[in-house]
Amino acid sequence: MEGLVTKTDRLAPRPAVSLSSRTQPPGGGAVGGERRRVPAAKRPVLSAPRRPARLRRAAEFLLEKILFLHGMAAILLIALIFVFLFREALQALHRIPLDLWWGGTDTDWDGKAVFVQRWQPNGDVPKYSLVPLVLGSLLVAVPAVVIAGLIGLATGIYLAEIASRRVRDLIKPIIELLAGIPTIVIGFFCLVTLATLLQGIFHTRSRLNAVVGAVGVSFVIIPVIASLVDDTLRAVPGYLREASYAMGATRWETISRVVVPAGVSGVTAALILGMGRALGETMIVLLATGNASQVTFNPFESVRTMTATIAAELGSVPQGGDWYASLFLVGAVLFTITFALNLVAEIVVSRMRRKLAL
Amino acid sequence: MSSAVRRRLDRLATVLLGLVAFSILGIVLGILGDIFLKGRRTVTWEFLTQIPLDGMTRGGVFPAIFGTVCIVVLMIMMALPLGVLAAIYMVEYAGQGRIARVIRAAVNNLAGVPSIVFGLFGLGFFVLFVGRNLDRVTGRDLLFGQPAMLWAAATLAVLVLPVVIVSTAEALMAVPRSLREAAFALGATRWQVVRGVVLPQAWSGILTGAILSVSRGAGETAPILFTGCAYYLPRLPVVRLTVPLLGIQVPMVNPLDQFMELSYHIFIMATQSHNTMLTRPIQYGTTLVLVGLTFTLNLVAILARRRLSRRVVKA
């Protein structure tokens, strides 16, 4: 028995051959081919085991524990991020009165006190209103998801339902290339080229505005949405399509009334994930949205997002102060929103998996 | 609706969807073409090998290239072992149980964390918590507790960890179950199966994932903003170490130094420099260098993966 185990111990590390052997006719031929490739020195020895079994079992046990610890790394890191973000954020909540996060009073030119919603932690009277930052983030993220949703959904449908294998092999790498362009490059492109282009079309007051950022951000999330929609629709079982065609429906009717409705939860999940990515995007909005924090609902105005605020201010803030802590609070808000969006998307996807019994 | 109208609608929808799908090619060509055409003239041998001169209005980007290469090497040295072992545990040991589900959810959530949050985390955890406490333990004044290449690389490693784990897990799961079962039937232990049967099959997939993470790490800016990037350094982050017995000096990258980096260089040149119009050629040139770097890495990964999937299909 011991000898047998040792033998497999030596035989096991040669699986590449056993894969290729599957293509060969069954029988002795495959084994013979395998033997020839093994150098004489490495040929299995049928003598006494190299190590006592107990030692090997102990090593196996230890290895499993080590692997387990590495497996826990992702969980540990998420927990650490949570702890270190919210530790500072709670400090901020503790030190800064709650109503200041909504808005504060300021004196206008006549010396009268007025209510303002501004993010201005460096003023004589620091203002910590989160309203302009959250609005800014939404003004970028919502148009970005609309643009990327349209393009990504159409591309996903085209890839899954219409494109031939050759066209698919052409478009897929292009999407991956787009996903691989660093966001700073897209941000730079938006800042220098796209902003001028869009101003020429829309004649906006400020060259850098939320729409420029939104178009830039949509470039980042188009690949996310397109490949998720593609995956979802390819998972829709073929018999649904066949039933539809058998009833005399055209391809477009099959897509729009059978396939997409069947995969609607996957499509929703793709849009939710895209929203999360859009809210978290930093470098593009930092370069392309103009960075003026103001309360506005006009996407053609300059805005300042939560991410851009952290990126622009954290480097120049003294550690440990109110301002520093308040930036961690902005980060905590951002983290909570994206975490919730990811969670919802995951639940939607797993529900769809169960429904389609995959 | 008459059948002619329905057929025309079908044709129209097909054409429209195809046009939108191919518009992505237009986006990619638009961005890359713009960068290439305007940056082409700047990128010369001197640009790649010189340091910035005259208040960063002339000269090259060599320190930034050097810093980028150093930091991604350091990053992948941390992320690859951790990620590969984690994926092995997830796929080969945890199976479909509750732990595997929790790990998978954690990985997915880690992948969804905004990059700027990693920047906050890197500053709060690595620099201020780990670094400052290391200083206290070793009794130093301020060696570890400040932004440095080590902490920036660690922050990036956390960011690309999900990429490594997911691509490794995919590579592992692509190995046919029958191979594992055959090895188990011969009496191999679980680790023997992993090391001898699964890993040799999965290596190329794992390496593809590693290349993709390097490309991702090289392009990220937000996580390193506060954890180690320098606006301008007059020297490379290199120290001379004396080899104990031989008595010769060997230059070595100093992971406790700050560094210049390509993507950060683009950011500051485009927004913080005092004359952004004057340095525009340098900005385009730096962007082209970064794009060239990540583009090459991605192309290698995509081609490798395609070759891989073809081989698996054949098998």
Side-chain angles (χ1 to χ4, degrees):
Chain A
M1 188 61 213
E2 274 307 318
L4 190 69
V5 172
T6 330
K7 183 184 162 196
T8 61
D9 175 14
R10 296 297 211 108
L11 263 181
R14 245 150 263 296
V17 189
S18 56
L19 221 193
S20 66
S21 73
R22 287 177 64 192
T23 56
Q24 291 173 11
V31 178
E34 185 173 344
R35 277 279 155 75
R36 242 175 282 129
R37 284 221 206 160
V38 181
K42 288 204 169 180
R43 210 166 280 159
V45 186
L46 284 165
S47 56
R50 283 177 305 159
R51 267 181 266 161
R54 197 189 301 161
L55 212 93
R56 210 169 44 231
R57 260 203 302 274
E60 193 81 18
F61 178 79
L62 205 70
L63 263 167
E64 180 166 350
K65 288 293 162 256
I66 292 172
L67 286 173
F68 173 76
L69 285 181
H70 284 86
M72 290 296 113
I75 300 173
L76 180 76
L77 283 169
I78 275 280
L80 276 177
I81 292 175
F82 188 82
V83 168
F84 275 85
L85 219 52
F86 280 81
R87 208 177 57 154
E88 287 291 338
L90 286 179
Q91 283 284 318
L93 282 180
H94 185 66
R95 277 189 260 161
I96 300 165
L98 276 180
D99 54 330
L100 282 190
W101 299 112
W102 174 252
T105 49
D106 199 6
T107 46
D108 64 1
W109 295 112
D110 307 328
K112 262 192 301 182
V114 285
F115 179 76
V116 289
Q117 291 181 314
R118 223 176 278 156
W119 174 267
Q120 218 169 53
N122 55 342
D124 295 333
V125 186
K127 295 175 199 67
Y128 293 103
S129 175
L130 294 178
V131 177
L133 305 187
V134 175
L135 263 180
S137 280
L138 287 177
L139 272 183
V140 174
V142 171
V145 171
V146 171
I147 299 169
L150 288 173
I151 298 182
L153 187 61
T155 308
I157 292 174
Y158 184 77
L159 282 178
E161 301 294 316
I162 297 171
S164 67
R165 211 200 146 93
R166 263 183 49 213
V167 174
R168 214 182 130 76
D169 280 354
L170 182 72
I171 296 182
K172 270 265 177 191
I174 292 171
I175 293 176
E176 281 174 47
L177 274 187
L178 181 61
I181 298 178
T183 54
I184 184 77
V185 173
I186 295 178
F188 178 67
F189 173 77
C190 291
L191 170 77
V192 178
T193 308
L194 190 74
T196 311
L197 204 73
L198 288 182
Q199 195 180 29
I201 299 173
F202 295 112
H203 302 289
T204 50
R205 195 160 55 95
S206 36
R207 200 178 82 95
L208 298 177
N209 53 52
V211 167
V212 179
V215 174
V217 172
S218 77
F219 294 162
V220 176
I221 52 179
I222 284 171
V224 178
I225 296 179
S227 38
L228 278 173
V229 169
D230 178 33
D231 288 347
T232 304
L233 297 188
R234 283 160 72 83
V236 171
Y239 58 80
L240 289 178
R241 287 182 199 91
E242 283 150 22
S244 170
Y245 287 134
M247 309 260 287
T250 63
R251 182 151 65 179
W252 172 242
E253 285 160 355
T254 307
I255 291 170
S256 60
R257 305 207 194 146
V258 177
V259 181
V260 173
V264 71
S265 32
V267 174
T268 317
L271 294 178
I272 295 172
L273 282 177
M275 187 75 190
R277 286 289 292 275
L279 285 172
E281 185 43 59
T282 310
M283 294 322 285
I284 296 175
V285 291
L286 185 60
L287 285 169
T289 56
N291 283 327
S293 86
Q294 52 182 326
V295 177
T296 175
F297 292 94
N298 180 0
F300 289 104
E301 292 277 345
S302 282
V303 295
R304 176 169 215 167
T305 65
M306 295 188 275
T307 51
T309 305
I310 302 172
E313 294 176 6
L314 191 67
S316 54
V317 170
Q319 281 145 19
D322 285 0
W323 190 359
Y324 178 78
S326 71
L327 289 176
F328 274 79
L329 182 91
V330 175
V333 171
L334 192 66
F335 179 78
T336 312
I337 296 174
T338 50
F339 194 88
L341 287 175
N342 285 332
L343 214 63
V344 171
E346 205 157 299
I347 291 170
V348 170
V349 166
S350 68
R351 190 167 293 168
M352 181 192 73
R353 286 239 171 86
R354 225 172 303 141
K355 210 177 79 186
L356 291 177
L358 291 172
Chain B
M1 257 192 283
S2 77
S3 73
V5 173
R6 285 172 54 208
R7 227 174 299 142
R8 205 166 296 159
L9 193 70
D10 184 55
R11 179 108 32 96
L12 186 73
T14 309
V15 170
L16 273 180
L17 289 174
L19 277 180
V20 174
F22 274 97
S23 75
I24 294 181
L25 179 64
I27 296 173
V28 173
L29 285 182
I31 297 173
L32 296 183
D34 181 60
I35 305 288
F36 179 76
L37 289 178
K38 291 177 185 162
R40 180 174 58 145
R41 250 157 249 227
T42 316
V43 181
T44 56
W45 181 246
E46 283 74 36
F47 187 73
L48 295 174
T49 53
Q50 275 184 346
I51 62 166
L53 301 167
D54 289 349
M56 311 225 287
T57 53
R58 283 196 315 113
V61 289
F62 179 69
I65 298 175
F66 184 80
T68 306
V69 171
C70 288
I71 195 178
V72 292
V73 169
L74 210 56
M75 169 201 83
I76 204 69
M77 275 163 56
M78 298 186 219
L80 194 61
L82 184 59
V84 168
L85 292 181
I88 289 176
Y89 181 78
M90 196 169 93
V91 174
E92 303 293 331
Y93 285 78
Q96 296 294 316
R98 179 182 292 174
I99 296 180
R101 272 219 307 279
V102 174
I103 294 177
R104 209 156 285 154
V107 171
N108 283 345
N109 270 309
L110 200 58
V113 172
S115 55
I116 190 69
V117 170
F118 284 109
L120 284 170
F121 171 69
L123 178 67
F125 178 69
F126 287 120
V127 179
L128 296 180
F129 183 76
V130 178
R132 289 279 155 89
N133 279 323
L134 269 179
D135 279 342
R136 197 175 313 147
V137 170
T138 56
R140 278 171 214 272
D141 205 23
L142 196 65
L143 179 69
F144 296 105
Q146 55 187 343
M149 186 189 286
L150 179 65
W151 306 134
T155 311
L156 279 184
V158 179
L159 180 115
V160 298
L161 188 66
V163 184
V164 177
I165 293 182
V166 169
S167 56
T168 306
E170 268 169 16
L172 295 177
M173 285 190 284
V175 177
R177 238 173 93 160
S178 53
L179 290 184
R180 290 191 186 86
E181 282 161 2
F184 278 128
L186 287 169
T189 63
R190 196 169 277 273
W191 175 248
Q192 284 170 340
V193 171
V194 169
R195 215 203 55 180
V197 179
V198 181
L199 278 185
Q201 296 273 334
W203 265 129
S204 32
I206 295 173
L207 283 184
T208 311
I211 297 170
L212 280 180
S213 351
V214 166
S215 147
R216 174 91 195 275
E220 279 291 340
T221 323
I224 56 174
L225 282 175
F226 329 112
T227 49
C229 257
Y231 186 88
Y232 173 69
L233 274 184
R235 61 196 153 69
L236 292 178
V238 171
V239 285
R240 291 189 173 282
L241 285 185
T242 313
V243 180
L245 289 174
L246 299 170
I248 44 171
Q249 289 200 321
V250 185
M252 205 194 102
V253 174
N254 180 8
L256 292 174
D257 209 343
Q258 296 203 330
F259 59 97
M260 291 178 75
E261 208 257 3
L262 280 171
S263 60
Y264 185 65
H265 197 65
I266 299 169
F267 169 59
I268 51 157
M269 294 300 274
T271 59
Q272 323 265 297
S273 100
H274 46 260
N275 192 344
T276 50
M277 289 318 274
L278 181 74
T279 57
R280 189 117 299 164
I282 297 185
Q283 296 161 24
Y284 267 110
T286 316
T287 311
L288 181 57
V289 172
L290 180 64
V291 166
L293 190 73
T294 52
F295 190 84
T296 317
L297 285 170
N298 279 321
L299 210 64
V300 169
I302 289 170
L303 290 179
R305 183 188 297 162
R306 182 186 278 196
R307 209 153 149 201
L308 210 73
S309 65
R310 216 169 272 160
R311 219 174 56 199
V312 170
V313 168
K314 245 187 236 159

